[in-house]
Amino acid sequence: MKTKEDNLPAVQSVVKDGSFVQIKVLFFAKARDITGLTELSMEVSSGSTTQDCLNKLVAKFPNLDEIRQCIVLALNEEYTTESAVVKDKDELAIIPPISGG
Amino acid sequence: MNSEDKTLVEIIDENKQIDLAKYINYVSAPQAGAIATFSGTTRDTFEGKTVVELRYEAYVPMAIRNLKSICSSARSSWDLHSIAVAHRVGSVPVGEISVFVAVSATHRADALDACKFLIAELKASVPIWKKEVYSNGEVWKENTEFLERRFKHGKDGSCCRRKIKTEARDIKGCCKPKVKEEDAADISTS
């Protein structure tokens, strides 16, 4: 049962019926310079990992490849790995090497 | 957790200066005998290049969340009273303060050590970026603290293969920043 209203993180089901999830991708610093965007909305198949999302982004913006090895990812405001599975309405941030302070 | 624990984390809007007195007042308390502060200011040169200004941007909600988490970590390591951390976004000209940390504690060792920890952790993990603007180019900076730590982050082994040395000057950066500039003379700072 796929609900859009209550996103229960504990329930993870890999649905192979061709369904999709919608995520928001945020670009910062050098990543924004490359894509020309601060954010975009992206549809990926259910069960996709953050790495799948990144692959799709690099396919859309080939120049992202030049920073691909340097970036880290955040999912819903927390650092994540490339094996994390994205859910509907997730927010994925492309984080180039930081330089606060 | 002490009910008197006070932690303030703020990302300051563009073109507003950090009000140091506000944060010092915030952490002040009769029982806190020590207040330690750190302020980071834009300096005028980097590797011989004249810096005009620094431009900061932040993933604000995550930066705030991250900073609060760092403050919690500090509290678990040191006996602290109050903490305030403020970071500007937007342009920060030479001489102005971009980041300010204030910590109060009963005793100075806790305040000083926690203050050092807070700025180090900020530089290693908080999603804030700065672009160094020279008279003839600009480049996104990369904190060595972040680059060194990335090897410990869970990145599924696909992290940058570039060899990272501990010497700050030797770290060329992960993304090999391209500075758009003409061939300026290689002036080294004394």
Side-chain angles (χ1 to χ4, degrees), chain B:
Chain B
M1 187 143 93
N2 192 339
S3 59
E4 287 179 13
D5 282 354
K6 289 196 327 176
T7 299
L8 177 62
V9 169
E10 289 187 342
I11 304 292
I12 310 295
D13 283 343
E14 301 208 18
N15 301 318
K16 273 193 203 162
Q17 297 220 28
I18 294 183
D19 182 353
L20 307 193
K22 168 184 167 182
Y23 300 105
I24 293 173
N25 283 338
Y26 179 85
V27 303
S28 299
Q31 58 271 63
I35 295 176
T37 69
F38 171 81
S39 55
T41 54
T42 299
R43 52 189 161 91
D44 59 3
T45 53
F46 179 76
E47 288 181 354
K49 297 187 280 279
T50 303
V51 175
V52 171
E53 65 177 16
L54 295 178
R55 278 188 216 138
Y56 287 92
E57 70 178 66
Y59 181 7
V60 176
M62 184 174 167
I64 290 176
R65 183 193 285 244
N66 221 294
L67 280 166
K68 285 183 177 168
S69 172
I70 291 169
C71 292
S72 291
S73 292
R75 285 190 186 282
S76 66
S77 297
W78 295 281
D79 187 16
L80 307 174
H81 189 273
S82 303
I83 306 173
V85 181
H87 202 301
R88 279 176 72 170
V89 290
S91 294
V92 182
V94 169
E96 291 190 19
I97 295 171
S98 53
V99 60
F100 188 67
V101 176
V103 188
S104 62
T106 306
H107 302 294
R108 73 177 183 280
D110 289 315
L112 286 165
D113 289 347
C115 188
K116 185 172 178 177
F117 168 82
L118 288 163
I119 184 63
E121 285 302 304
L122 184 155
K123 291 180 83 66
S125 68
V126 177
I128 298 175
W129 298 266
K130 66 170 164 269
K131 196 177 227 190
E132 210 159 59
V133 180
Y134 314 114
S135 52
N136 56 357
E138 52 188 48
V139 65
W140 287 106
K141 304 295 293 183
E142 299 173 5
N143 287 350
T144 57
E145 297 88 343
F146 172 84
L147 296 173
E148 283 165 3
R149 188 170 297 188
R150 275 189 62 247
F151 289 107
K152 298 173 193 168
H153 270 168
K155 208 175 186 278
D156 290 6
S158 61
C159 59
C160 186
R161 301 276 169 219
R162 191 180 298 271
K163 189 179 175 203
I164 304 293
K165 297 179 196 169
T166 50
E167 202 54 55
R169 284 183 184 274
D170 291 338
I171 296 180
K172 297 298 180 191
C174 192
C175 296
K176 194 144 195 180
K178 291 173 192 156
V179 184
K180 297 175 295 184
E181 60 176 46
E182 316 193 7
D183 260 349
D186 213 21
I187 308 160
S188 45
T189 49
S190 51

Side-chain angles (χ1 to χ4, degrees), chain A residues 21-71:
Chain A
V21 295
Q22 199 89 16
I23 65 165
K24 180 159 81 165
V25 182
L26 303 179
F27 300 102
F28 293 98
K30 180 110 187 180
R32 189 197 52 254
D33 284 354
I34 288 173
T35 62
L37 298 171
T38 53
E39 65 176 70
L40 64 70
S41 199
M42 188 161 83
E43 197 178 70
V44 292
S45 32
S46 210
S48 292
T49 62
T50 55
Q51 182 175 75
D52 295 330
C53 297
L54 194 50
N55 289 339
K56 199 163 175 175
L57 289 167
V58 174
K60 192 177 168 84
F61 304 100
N63 286 338
L64 273 179
D65 209 40
E66 74 188 57
I67 62 167
R68 201 211 165 116
Q69 290 303 106
C70 311
I71 60 169

